[in-house]
Amino acid sequence: MTSETTQHSGHPVTMRDVAEAAGVSIATVSLVINDKKNARIGDDARGRVREAIRTLGYRPNALAKNLVSGHSKFIGLVADAIATTPFAGQIIHGAQDEAWKHGYVLLVANTDGNADAEREAIGMMLEHKVRGILYSTWYHRAAAVPESLRETDFVLVDCFSPDGDAPAVVPDEVQGGRAATQLLIDSGHTRIAIINTTTPSPAHEGRLLGYREALEDAGIAFDPSLVFDALPEQEGGYDSVDALLASGATAVFCHNDRVAMGLYDGLRRRGLSIPEDMAVVGFDNQEVIAAHLRPPLTTVALPHYELGAKGVRMLLGVDEHRRDELVTVACPPVLRESIGEARRVPTA
């Protein structure tokens, strides 16, 4: 049988077919299908209807049921690019798994940032009476809320309203920056640098704040000369090597794994080793990079899977939240081999 279950003639099975097979009225079939407990239908008749449904392979008209219930068993997810980014695609995976747990199916529209495509996608989902919509971006940022989203329940995922008037779930950038720095402190380092991005963003501000908080908690004075800004890509890390070495740092927290990859190249070109000469921690946990560098990169993961799952739980009311609440999800450290004990500086 297909999703539009058919008889041998190729026509969809109807309630009339079920009624004729069970020897009851169409009204009785409707009552059984909609599980009307108080309907005055004998057990024998109910049994015949259910057997006919099973034998014929009848499927209820989902659109008709949507009109009765007011919504369907679909949850929409509108994204600007996450379906095409390898690590952020985990948002879809998490949302899909969580939706399925609660009896829903995820409908995904990837708009590539096209405003017309976004408008059409949201409109189509509303027409199909989705239970609600997750609206997501491929990196953590402020995002204007499309007005049509307010026609249904919605949750922002990996983004937030600049007006603070919408429910949202985002990575805890401050906690992530603190966790990355703490890994290096726990390895015995006190001269710890940070290579941050040049672009203002929640990641830029949050991770730097977490870095400073970890140092303060450990009684290590913040030194502005250990803060470097670089392009958030491999070349940015590579170009930071000379300044990093001149600073006297023995460890560095990189804004992302791509920056760390460039740093690896620059250190290796100068004949230096990781972690013996420089301990390195990244951010993002891009598996294609972090797990395959030599040595494998210790990093902090962006919790994309949990962001998607949490978004669904918030949408369905499984996890309670205020209508304007910004919920944060912790960024877990991923320990590999790029950190080690601090170098011992000989004393006079």
Side-chain angles (χ1 to χ4, degrees):
M1 295 292 179
T2 64
S3 58
E4 294 293 333
T5 306
T6 60
Q7 301 183 74
H8 295 301
S9 63
H11 296 295
V13 176
T14 66
M15 280 200 292
R16 182 180 298 279
D17 298 323
V18 174
E20 290 177 355
V24 298
S25 68
I26 294 175
T28 297
V29 173
S30 177
L31 290 170
V32 173
I33 288 170
N34 290 292
D35 200 23
K36 299 294 184 181
K37 302 293 187 184
N38 298 325
R40 300 179 67 179
I41 304 171
D43 291 342
D44 181 63
R46 284 185 187 272
R48 293 200 310 274
V49 171
R50 288 171 178 151
E51 178 62 22
I53 288 172
R54 186 189 66 79
T55 302
L56 296 176
Y58 172 77
R59 292 183 186 273
N61 186 317
L63 292 178
K65 290 185 74 174
N66 295 348
L67 292 174
V68 174
S69 66
H71 61 78
S72 69
K73 300 300 288 184
F74 292 113
I75 291 173
L77 189 152
V78 176
D80 60 358
I82 64 173
T84 56
T85 54
F87 63 101
Q90 285 293 309
I91 289 176
I92 295 176
H93 191 185
Q96 188 168 262
D97 286 352
E98 193 67 28
W100 188 252
K101 285 181 189 176
H102 300 285
Y104 288 85
V105 174
L106 197 68
L107 295 179
V108 180
N110 195 61
T111 66
D112 288 324
N114 183 290
D116 291 336
E118 178 179 280
R119 187 163 48 250
E120 289 291 326
I122 294 174
M124 192 174 297
M125 289 177 180
L126 293 174
E127 288 173 11
H128 282 77
K129 296 186 178 296
V130 293
R131 172 61 183 79
I133 297 175
L134 304 182
Y135 183 85
S136 187
T137 56
W138 78 272
Y139 70 94
H140 181 190
R141 62 179 175 86
V145 179
E147 200 55 40
S148 55
L149 271 185
R150 301 186 187 275
E151 296 179 35
T152 187
D153 293 334
F154 72 94
V155 175
L156 306 181
V157 178
D158 207 23
C159 58
F160 59 94
S161 168
D163 299 324
D165 60 350
V169 55
V170 299
D172 191 337
E173 304 283 6
V174 178
Q175 171 273 326
R178 196 163 51 238
T181 310
Q182 191 64 48
L183 290 171
L184 296 169
I185 293 171
D186 290 345
S187 292
H189 295 275
T190 57
R191 188 76 178 160
I192 301 169
I194 179 173
I195 302 177
N196 209 354
T197 179
T198 54
T199 307
S201 65
H204 176 277
E205 282 82 39
R207 294 174 196 179
L208 178 59
L209 177 57
Y211 163 82
R212 296 190 63 164
E213 287 182 354
L215 293 178
E216 182 178 356
D217 289 347
I220 301 172
F222 171 69
D223 183 347
S225 71
L226 293 176
V227 178
F228 304 95
D229 287 339
L231 294 175
E233 54 200 39
Q234 188 172 0
E235 288 75 11
Y238 186 89
D239 291 342
S240 300
V241 172
D242 286 339
L244 177 65
L245 294 175
S247 73
T250 63
V252 59
F253 161 32
C254 297
H255 178 77
N256 63 31
D257 295 343
R258 298 191 307 280
V259 169
M261 179 167 59
L263 190 70
Y264 268 53
D265 291 341
L267 291 171
R268 186 173 295 113
R269 186 177 180 86
R270 289 159 179 80
L272 300 174
S273 299
I274 300 168
E276 290 79 9
D277 297 304
M278 183 72 65
V280 182
V281 171
F283 207 106
D284 287 352
N285 194 34
Q286 275 189 269
E287 286 281 345
V288 70
I289 296 174
H292 299 287
L293 289 173
R294 293 293 177 266
L297 177 66
T298 292
T299 186
V300 173
L302 280 170
H304 288 113
Y305 182 94
E306 181 56 25
L307 290 176
K310 181 72 173 179
V312 169
R313 293 196 298 272
M314 290 171 63
L315 186 72
L316 296 178
V318 177
D319 291 354
E320 294 183 1
H321 65 282
R322 299 190 311 273
R323 293 188 63 83
D324 60 350
E325 186 172 2
L326 181 68
V327 176
T328 58
V329 176
C331 301
V334 181
L335 291 169
R336 296 194 180 96
E337 299 168 24
S338 63
I339 60 176
E341 294 297 324
R343 291 176 301 174
R344 293 188 178 276
V345 179
T347 57

